[in-house]
Amino acid sequence: MKHKQVLFLTQAAVIAAVYVVLTMVFAPISFGQSGVDVRIAEALTILPVFTPAAVPGLFVGCLLANILGGSILWDVLFGSLATLIGAAGCRMLRHHRWLAPLVTVAANTVVVPLVLIYGYGLAMPLPLLMASVGAGEVLSAYVLGEVLYAALRPIRAHLFGAAQAG
């Protein structure tokens, strides 16, 4: 039992760290307060398909990345909650490959534009921001996420443990 807890915490910590590193390395496109952003780290939101540890890992990673990236409090809170909702939804839909990233895309498409308008005071129409953020999320979660999924699927048991791998 203790081994499973250590494995869970280790996986969550590694996923959080990778999320932070990817967000910071690609900071110019990760923190697009103009409404145009593609957060490369959002490709990791496919990981709950493989392990439940990805759900808290992605949440903590997003939270830390937003803090380190200098985001305002509302962005730190609500942006991280959108990632948590997306990760939990992906985990629940893990047996439906093409639906799994949909919750991530939807949560961020709704939440992030509201943060940009009401938190940062961005003067753009909500539908335009939703389209822009949604397009970035589709690129990150679906396109890059699918590349990551295809790369990890053959080695999922080695990385995530045979009992956890989806």
Side-chain angles (χ1 to χ4, degrees):
M1 181 60 99
K2 189 171 184 141
H3 172 72
K4 286 185 180 184
Q5 291 171 338
V6 170
L7 180 63
F8 184 92
L9 288 173
T10 303
Q11 288 176 352
V14 168
I15 290 167
V18 171
Y19 189 102
V20 170
V21 168
L22 286 173
T23 302
M24 301 315 286
V25 166
F26 295 103
I29 61 173
S30 294
F31 298 103
Q33 293 174 2
S34 65
V36 178
D37 65 55
V38 176
R39 190 173 277 196
I40 303 296
E42 287 288 295
L44 300 176
T45 60
I46 196 65
L47 294 179
V49 166
F50 299 114
T51 176
V55 175
L58 290 166
F59 172 69
V60 170
C62 184
L63 186 76
L64 291 172
N66 286 342
I67 291 169
L68 293 171
S71 298
I72 63 170
L73 178 62
W74 301 117
D75 197 0
V76 171
L77 294 175
F78 291 112
S80 301
L81 283 174
T83 297
L84 177 61
I85 291 165
C90 183
R91 182 68 189 164
M92 289 189 297
L93 293 170
R94 68 186 175 275
H95 299 296
H96 305 280
R97 179 177 178 177
W98 299 107
L99 289 179
L102 186 60
V103 181
T104 295
V105 172
N108 283 286
T109 298
V110 171
V111 172
V112 173
L114 293 172
V115 170
L116 291 172
I117 289 172
Y118 296 109
Y120 291 101
L122 192 62
M124 284 179 68
L126 181 61
L128 181 60
L129 276 174
M130 290 176 89
S132 174
V133 170
E137 280 297 317
V138 166
L139 182 62
S140 297
Y142 268 104
V143 176
L144 297 177
E146 178 57 30
V147 171
L148 184 60
Y149 177 89
L152 295 179
R153 192 169 190 287
I155 57 172
R156 67 189 181 277
H158 296 290
L159 290 176
F160 304 110
Q164 290 188 56

